[in-house]
Amino acid sequence: MPPTPEARPPRTRRLSALLPDLSPWRSSRDFRLMWCAGAVTVFGTFLTFVAVPLQLKELTGSTVAVGAVGAVELVPLIVFGLYGGALADAVDRRKLVVWSEAGLGLLSVILLLNSVLPQPQVWPLYVVAAATSALTGLQRPALTAILPRVVPHDQLAAAAALNSLRWQIGAIAGPALAGLLVAYAGVRWAYAIDAVTFLVSVLLALGLAPSPAAREAEKPSLRAIGQGAHYAWKRKELLGTYAIDIVAMLFAFPTAIFPFLADDLDAPWALGLMYAALPAGASVVSLTSGWTSRVHRHGRAVVYAAAAWGLAMAAAGWVTDVWLVLLLLAVAGACDMVSGIFRSTMWNLTIPDGLRGRLAGIELLSYSVGPQLGQVRAGGMAALTNVRTSVWSGGLMCLVAVAALAVSLPKLMAYDARTDPHAAQMRAAAERRRAGDGCSAEGDGRDEGGGGKDQGVTVAG
């Protein structure tokens, strides 16, 4: 029998406290399936993420044509993200995940077929980009809403950290392999591998247990979407997490001008390292995330981490040594990861099952629209001033905006998972489920706001 934590040497206990908490992996078969399916998908998706703009560059030679991909993705993401949130509360979430995953795989096949034509066409790249954005908008709220059903309530912070680690592995390994593939074998191999990864992830997702909607769930409609938005508006601590994420990305997400920053520092060789620094810093937090389960003031953690993100970006724009810039970018990535873990934990701990899909749709917009607008801000500010001013001024604006939100939303700073009534209701629901209560709200959503009904004092990336 392995020694208990108390029986281990103090140094070993301290190290174990920092390592990722693997409890969700050990306790939930469905979480293991979801984690593996997501890891495969993320890896393949990053191959295409690199291949599409490169193919557009080769076909058109136009920076405008490459930048237009983001424009065609934005509207479908907003529309289908909101609709997908309402749909996730009204249908079996597993089926929604499986069918959208299969659709994404089909889109990869279309890219592959176009790439093997004697003269590949440009328009399919835009059509597929828009369709991919739409299917992602449909799928992500369902994936987010399933998690609290398959992971014990007290393990949700650990699950958020493990899911983030999965993304970071793909964010580092996917682009690295894509660069080699497209350089030596062409974009078709990136598309082919991506299609295969979707096949694997669909097979894994088919093994998930059904995740049906509550019997009283409301059909997807503008009214249902409005109910989710109204609930988020009433929950000022939730509203604060969305707002903090948006302003952090709007003001301090300058990745679009990294190529110009590298030139300004006389270090064009460091461009790839700049892109890798953010996920590298985030991965350090994920790999040492055992401490996150012991934090209960999640709102304050989100605010402090977002403020530190802004400070790190401001410093990265101010210093002139490229290695110090890379270090500060890694610190920023670590801060963003801390914010993301606690935002996700706060949502999962307090949002009723019957509203999780719709609130996940709002969350999808908060962490997708912000970066898109942030690219526009960074590029526009750089054009009006210069590259480094765009970076450091954005970081300072982020800090000011986060401070203003913290002052104007005191419920965000006061939130404590141990005493919050919404978290208490969800804990009680989880305990009823474990006790085998057939009316458990955690199981069917009827006691957790199914249909979006106002629960009074009884809640995204």
Side-chain angles (χ1 to χ4, degrees), residues 14 22 36 91 103 157 171 201 245 251 282 288 335 338 340 391 412:
R14 288 194 295 268
L22 300 180
C36 292
V91 302
S201 63
D245 190 30
F251 294 122
T288 58
C335 295
V338 172
V391 177
L412 177 65

Side-chain angles (χ1 to χ4, degrees), residues 12-70:
T12 303
R13 290 201 301 269
R14 288 194 295 268
L15 179 60
S16 298
L18 286 176
L19 294 176
D21 184 354
L22 300 180
S23 298
W25 181 273
R26 291 192 292 263
S27 65
S28 174
R29 171 184 173 274
D30 278 357
F31 179 78
R32 292 193 295 272
L33 287 172
M34 289 177 62
W35 196 95
C36 292
V40 172
T41 298
V42 167
F43 177 76
T45 298
F46 270 104
L47 297 180
T48 296
F49 176 78
V50 173
V52 167
L54 180 61
Q55 188 178 19
L56 272 172
K57 174 179 175 292
E58 292 175 345
L59 292 175
T60 67
S62 168
T63 57
V64 174
V66 175
V69 173

Side-chain angles (χ1 to χ4, degrees), residues 75-383:
V75 173
L77 185 65
I78 294 173
V79 173
F80 286 90
L82 291 173
Y83 180 73
L87 194 63
D89 287 334
V91 302
D92 187 309
R93 292 166 182 169
R94 184 197 67 163
K95 290 182 179 179
L96 183 55
V97 168
V98 170
W99 282 108
S100 56
E101 192 79 350
L104 289 166
L106 180 60
L107 293 175
S108 294
V109 172
I110 292 173
L111 290 175
L112 173 61
L113 294 176
N114 181 62
S115 69
V116 299
L117 293 175
Q119 293 183 330
Q121 301 297 302
V122 170
W123 64 266
L125 301 180
Y126 292 111
V127 172
V128 169
T132 298
S133 186
L135 285 174
T136 300
L138 289 176
Q139 184 191 66
R140 287 299 294 271
L143 279 171
T144 301
I146 285 178
L147 186 64
R149 287 187 174 182
V150 302
V151 173
H153 189 75
D154 58 352
Q155 297 175 9
L156 287 171
L162 290 175
N163 280 341
S164 298
L165 179 61
R166 174 191 67 190
W167 182 89
Q168 290 143 17
I169 292 171
I172 295 172
L177 177 60
L180 294 175
L181 276 176
V182 299
Y184 294 103
V187 295
R188 65 186 63 179
W189 279 100
Y191 298 144
I193 294 175
D194 190 20
V196 173
T197 63
F198 277 114
L199 175 61
V200 174
S201 63
V202 167
L203 293 175
L204 289 170
L206 287 171
L208 294 172
S211 186
R215 289 191 293 272
E216 300 173 0
E218 188 166 335
K219 293 181 179 179
S221 64
L222 290 176
R223 178 176 178 272
I225 294 172
Q227 287 174 335
H230 177 68
Y231 183 84
W233 179 259
K234 287 178 56 182
R235 292 281 311 280
K236 299 305 181 185
E237 66 275 28
L238 284 185
L239 187 66
T241 64
Y242 298 131
I244 290 286
D245 190 30
I246 289 174
V247 299
M249 295 297 103
L250 170 62
F251 294 122
F253 191 71
T255 57
I257 58 174
F258 275 1
F260 303 96
L261 179 60
D263 289 342
D264 190 78
L265 295 169
D266 293 323
W269 53 267
L271 177 58
L273 295 177
M274 287 182 180
Y275 284 114
L278 293 173
S283 66
V284 171
V285 172
S286 295
L287 289 170
T288 58
S289 59
W291 60 273
T292 59
S293 297
R294 297 186 293 277
V295 175
H296 307 286
R297 306 297 291 267
H298 301 143
R300 291 189 180 188
V302 169
V303 169
Y304 297 153
W309 156 273
L311 281 174
M313 281 297 183
W318 188 260
V319 301
T320 57
D321 182 82
V322 65
W323 291 106
L324 191 52
V325 170
L326 293 172
L327 175 61
L328 289 165
L329 291 177
V331 170
C335 295
D336 185 50
M337 186 70 264
V338 172
S339 175
I341 288 174
F342 290 119
R343 289 197 312 268
S344 178
T345 302
M346 193 168 167
W347 298 331
N348 288 331
L349 285 177
T350 64
I351 296 177
D353 185 84
L355 286 168
R356 282 181 191 148
R358 279 164 282 182
L359 272 293
I362 297 173
E363 174 221 343
L364 176 66
L365 299 186
S366 76
Y367 69 70
S368 299
V369 174
Q372 296 278 5
L373 296 178
Q375 305 285 31
V376 176
R377 186 218 64 84
M381 181 68 75

Side-chain angles (χ1 to χ4, degrees), residues 383-461:
L384 291 173
T385 56
N386 57 64
V387 173
R388 294 178 61 197
T389 298
S390 176
V391 177
W392 68 255
S393 65
L396 292 183
M397 286 189 285
C398 168
L399 182 61
V400 172
V402 168
L405 287 171
V407 171
S408 60
L409 295 170
K411 286 187 176 182
L412 177 65
M413 297 297 287
Y415 173 85
D416 189 324
R418 296 166 295 187
T419 58
D420 181 76
H422 308 279
Q425 185 186 35
M426 295 292 288
R427 279 196 299 271
E431 290 170 1
R432 289 198 300 271
R433 183 181 64 173
R434 284 197 295 267
D437 186 344
C439 295
S440 167
E442 192 72 7
D444 61 16
R446 286 176 287 165
D447 296 332
E448 299 178 34
K453 296 179 181 178
D454 186 0
Q455 298 298 304
V457 296
T458 54
V459 168

